[in-house]
Amino acid sequence: MWIFQYEPLMAAKNVSSATSLQVLTFVQLIVIGSILLYSGILERSKHRNSVIRGTLILRIIISALLFIVEFPTVFIVGFLIYQVGAVGCDIFYESLLLEEASKKRLDFGKYRMFGSLGYATSGFLVSGFLFLEFEVPILLILSVVINFILLFLNLKTPFSSRSSVEQGYDKKKMKLPLSALVFIFCCAVVTTLPGSFGYLFNGYLREQFSLPLQHVTLYVSVAVFIGSCISEVSAFYVVDRLIRKIGAKQVLFIGFLASIIRWALAIVSPNAVSFVATYLFHGINFAFLYIGFLTLLRAKLGNEIVGTLTMRFTFIANLIGVGLAQLYALSLETIGVRGILVSYLLISLFAFGFVVIFYKRLASNNV
């Protein structure tokens, strides 16, 4: 949630722009470590609900302390500690949820769409508060409230305990085949692009379309709402039904095509309204690729691997995100944001072409 207005939050706590960029690099590394940590817990721990509750309590305490603290150095340290239990725990929670859905043979998408709805709602609230000129630190109070709600929900409806069969399955420490990892990489790199662009979104709207900061905040809020609340929720709602109708392979390919169309339109958008409208393709891109790859690999590797697949996908996506962030630092002044948008289009085209060729081998070799 904090990433939506990372710069204003750091500025409100008297953290300089140069320092905030350095902190962002550390955040990306911590997120990768966090995903590895919670991935290990997913595969080995018997006390999954206790891990979730402990992390949420820690997040509540840190959020409250960060709201109070005024010293930049202390704020940065607390902010980084929070990240250890942020993305990793969220993906851990999502992995457990999809495991439950897989056991009960329920639609993945209809469960995952609530994650998109929460993401969109929090982003919309954050941008909305700032647009209405609330103080930036109010975001930390919002963080306390959201974590309290998550804690209450887990206490009321905990995840089921693992059976002895599942524990024995985990002890085998099954490694994903190389072909499956390559397949995941191709899907992850395309779904990572929109999130990576979030770091450049505000600046691009200001520079490309000469918008004042208040208008930029509003457009970002609308884009998040369109992309996550409207597009993602709708796409996740229909994706399983569509897979049953036309097949996971076709749905996967539609996801790649949505990414290609989106970035092509973004490159030629003449104004901020048309640029924000390209976020309508975001849900088709993300939901179709995410659920498509899970469905295909679950059919090959079994229901028990769903949680591991989710964690691996997110881990690879965050590695790609770190790489893209370094690419921005090296190339932004040379090619500009427009050049980066062109690179997104080329990456989508290359990944799609590779998967079209790779898919036949994937199917014939039984992964």
Side-chain angles (χ1 to χ4, degrees):
M1 180 188 71
W2 294 352
I3 199 63
F4 290 117
Q5 299 297 339
Y6 173 78
E7 292 180 44
L9 182 60
M10 286 292 172
K13 293 296 182 176
N14 300 313
V15 179
S16 67
S17 298
T19 303
S20 67
L21 289 175
Q22 294 173 344
V23 171
L24 190 57
T25 301
F26 282 108
V27 167
Q28 293 168 332
L29 295 176
I30 289 173
V31 166
I32 291 173
S34 174
I35 294 171
L36 282 175
L37 172 64
Y38 283 91
S39 180
I41 294 172
L42 176 72
E43 295 175 0
R44 298 175 181 85
S45 177
K46 301 177 183 179
H47 309 288
R48 298 174 170 187
N49 289 301
S50 298
V51 170
I52 290 172
R53 292 163 191 171
T55 302
L56 290 173
I57 290 171
L58 182 64
R59 282 160 51 160
I60 290 168
I61 294 171
I62 293 177
S63 296
L65 291 175
L66 290 179
F67 177 76
I68 299 170
V69 72
E70 295 294 338
F71 299 101
T73 303
V74 178
F75 179 81
I76 290 171
V77 172
F79 185 88
L80 292 175
I81 293 174
Y82 185 94
Q83 302 309 312
V84 176
V87 175
C89 184
D90 292 343
I91 301 303
F92 179 70
Y93 197 101
E94 180 180 322
S95 299
L96 293 179
L97 184 63
L98 293 183
E99 276 190 0
E100 294 272 318
S102 182
K103 291 176 190 175
K104 299 175 182 178
R105 298 189 178 278
L106 301 172
D107 289 349
F108 285 165
K110 288 188 175 64
Y111 279 80
R112 180 55 182 79
M113 72 178 187
F114 287 102
S116 298
L117 184 60
Y119 183 83
T121 303
S122 62
F124 193 72
L125 285 174
V126 166
S127 298
F129 282 148
L130 296 185
F131 182 73
L132 294 174
E133 299 184 353
F134 280 82
E135 295 293 328
V136 174
I138 198 69
L139 308 185
L140 300 169
I141 298 300
L142 182 60
S143 175
V144 171
V145 173
I146 291 174
N147 283 303
F148 258 121
I149 293 173
L150 292 174
L151 180 60
F152 172 77
L153 291 175
N154 183 255
L155 288 169
K156 185 178 180 181
T157 312
F159 289 106
S160 60
S161 300
R162 298 190 308 173
S163 66
S164 58
V165 174
E166 291 172 315
Q167 292 175 24
Y169 178 85
D170 287 340
K171 288 178 181 178
K172 294 178 183 178
K173 296 181 181 179
M174 190 191 92
K175 294 182 179 180
L176 293 177
L178 178 60
S179 55
L181 291 173
V182 174
F183 187 51
I184 292 172
F185 177 85
C186 291
C187 296
V189 70
V190 174
T191 58
T192 301
L193 300 178
S196 297
F197 183 73
Y199 296 112
L200 305 173
F201 194 9
N202 286 30
Y204 182 69
L205 290 179
R206 286 199 306 267
E207 296 173 9
Q208 183 68 24
F209 304 116
S210 303
L211 296 175
L213 181 59
Q214 191 176 30
H215 289 181
V216 167
T217 302
L218 177 61
Y219 276 116
V220 169
S221 175
V222 172
V224 170
F225 183 79
I226 291 174
S228 294
C229 190
I230 297 177
S231 183
E232 266 192 43
V233 171
S234 301
F236 274 119
Y237 184 79
V238 303
V239 63
D240 292 285
R241 189 185 311 168
L242 197 59
I243 286 173
R244 288 191 290 270
K245 187 173 182 179
I246 67 174
K249 174 185 174 181
Q250 285 71 23
V251 167
L252 191 81
F253 287 177
I254 292 172
F256 278 111
L257 290 173
S259 179
I260 293 168
I261 294 171
R262 175 195 182 162
W263 297 119
L265 291 176
I267 292 169
V268 300
S269 293
N271 52 57
V273 173
S274 59
F275 187 85
V276 169
T278 63
Y279 276 72
L280 287 168
F281 291 93
H282 171 70
I284 302 173
N285 166 27
F286 179 49
F288 283 29
L289 287 179
Y290 187 55
I291 302 300
F293 108 85
L294 277 177
T295 302
L296 287 167
L297 292 186
R298 180 185 62 167
K300 298 290 183 179
L301 301 175
N303 289 330
E304 298 86 354
I305 201 68
V306 168
T308 300
L309 287 173
T310 304
M311 297 297 289
R312 293 291 184 275
F313 180 91
T314 309
F315 175 69
I316 292 172
N318 277 273
L319 277 179
I320 295 169
V322 172
L324 288 173
Q326 301 307 312
L327 178 65
Y328 297 157
L330 295 173
S331 61
L332 189 58
E333 292 186 1
T334 305
I335 64 175
V337 178
R338 183 61 66 90
I340 289 175
L341 291 175
V342 172
S343 73
Y344 287 173
L345 176 60
L346 295 176
I347 290 171
S348 299
L349 286 167
F350 178 80
F352 179 47
F354 187 83
V355 167
V356 168
I357 298 170
F358 176 71
Y359 184 85
K360 295 180 180 179
R361 184 176 179 183
L362 176 74
S364 62
N365 289 351
N366 294 319
V367 193

